[in-house]
Amino acid sequence: MKKRIIGSLLLGTIVLSACSSPSMTDSSTSESTENSLDTAKESTEDPGKSAEELSASDNSASDDRDASNDSSDESLTEASNKVSNKASNESSSDMPEEDSNTTDDAKETKRAAAKEASSRDKDRLMNKAALEAGASGDDAITYLIADYDGDGSAEGFVYVGEDADEYSECYGTVYYVDDDECDVVKNGYFSGADANDIFKEYTVEDRVFICLEESYTTSVNSLIYYIEDGTYKESCISGLGYFYENTDIDGYCITYNVYDYFYDYEAGHESEGVFTGHTYKDYYFYYDQKSGDFKEYVGTLISEKDLAKACGFDLAAQIKSEGYEIGDIYKRDNGIINVNYSKTTQNDDGSGTIEYHNATFDENTQKFVPYEGSDETWQGSDSGGTYEDSITKYRK
């Protein structure tokens, strides 16, 4: 159900019609399509017209144009033919990509809903977004369209903009579109090897989440949405960081990035220092069926004695033996324990630097959680900076 179109998304037909009929508007109820310059104000009664007929109509219209416009018309007609052929070959049984944790019943429900979004529904909604965006033949267009909320009507998200550059970034606009709406969701740079990789789907029990990844210079930020009651809604964890499924802990993570590795201060101004050093720390989430959204495994403060009992050895004593000071220790309901520790370096002039570190231990496996391929030791689990009890408290 996800398709990438480079050039024009039925735009050969749309743009030609729009040129002669500026007042043309999309009609979601009649699903009519204007096919040529000479008949720009007339609606075709057969929405299932073949790609060849559409092409013939466009060619007939272009024959009546001035010679100066011939080359551009041919380009648009060629793009229209290419996209129309793709649309006619698309199967109405396209499926969302499914999460491995989804129950069989939930998967079957989503499959049935996906089938209800026909190729014609998809083309109609894509065209609607393309017209709203003023798309040109050079734009890349990607979509995710299905009957996500099971109300019998198709809806979804459409990206219109540039294809990926050498940094795997695409600049453009994402629209939410259904029969009644065509709203701008987000404009900017999105992460993806090409435009087709902008959207990600997570089917979790009875809900399908659609994820976009905003691209920044040193980080990626996940925007997460779902469809409910005939419109799109933003997840309560959207925008907190990079969202992904973590198969090692059988759940979901958000990598939260912040500058908190070092704290530098001047003599006599210890409370006016500056944090530096970019860190990336994982926080843990689960799907809550009652709310229909994700919830965080919020940390609870525990003592060094509690830590030793959970680990089976005195971890705090080992860390302190290396010259570090133990900070807050958080235990989460999924068995993850985060131990904060730090070391202060005092300079001769009274200035200083505090280094902040952490260790992450999984009580379920009785192993440390290595950071980015490091070894399974408390040092190897250090992602830098200081863990907090929760990051959803920062969600506005």
Side-chain angles (χ1 to χ4, degrees), residues 273-286:
V274 177
F275 279 101
T276 60
H278 206 169
T279 66
Y280 304 84
K281 295 182 285 294
D282 280 345
Y283 286 79
Y284 304 89
F285 296 81
Y286 64 95

Side-chain angles (χ1 to χ4, degrees), residues 9-134:
L9 178 67
L10 295 180
L11 290 179
T13 299
I14 293 173
V15 175
L16 286 175
S17 299
C19 288
S20 64
S21 180
S23 63
M24 181 190 69
T25 59
D26 176 76
S27 172
S28 60
T29 55
S30 67
E31 299 181 358
S32 61
T33 305
E34 299 175 297
N35 292 313
S36 70
L37 285 172
D38 294 336
T39 59
K41 295 182 181 179
E42 299 176 4
S43 298
T44 181
E45 295 178 357
D46 181 11
K49 216 168 194 180
S50 69
E52 289 76 14
E53 289 171 301
L54 288 174
S55 173
S57 177
D58 288 344
N59 289 334
S60 175
S62 65
D63 287 342
D64 295 332
R65 287 175 171 254
D66 293 334
S68 59
N69 295 325
D70 285 347
S71 60
S72 60
D73 292 346
E74 291 171 1
S75 175
L76 287 171
T77 302
E78 181 181 354
S80 177
N81 292 338
K82 187 183 299 183
V83 175
S84 296
N85 288 332
K86 288 184 179 181
S88 65
N89 291 329
E90 183 183 84
S91 170
S92 61
S93 62
D94 290 341
M95 307 298 172
E97 296 171 7
E98 294 172 340
D99 184 273
S100 59
N101 294 329
T102 310
T103 64
D104 290 340
D105 289 343
K107 286 181 180 179
E108 193 59 38
T109 299
K110 299 309 173 187
R111 288 192 188 100
K115 289 180 181 179
E116 294 180 18
S118 67
S119 296
R120 189 173 60 191
D121 288 331
K122 295 172 184 178
D123 289 343
R124 174 171 51 81
L125 294 180
M126 285 187 291
N127 290 342
K128 187 174 182 178
L131 284 170
E132 179 69 22

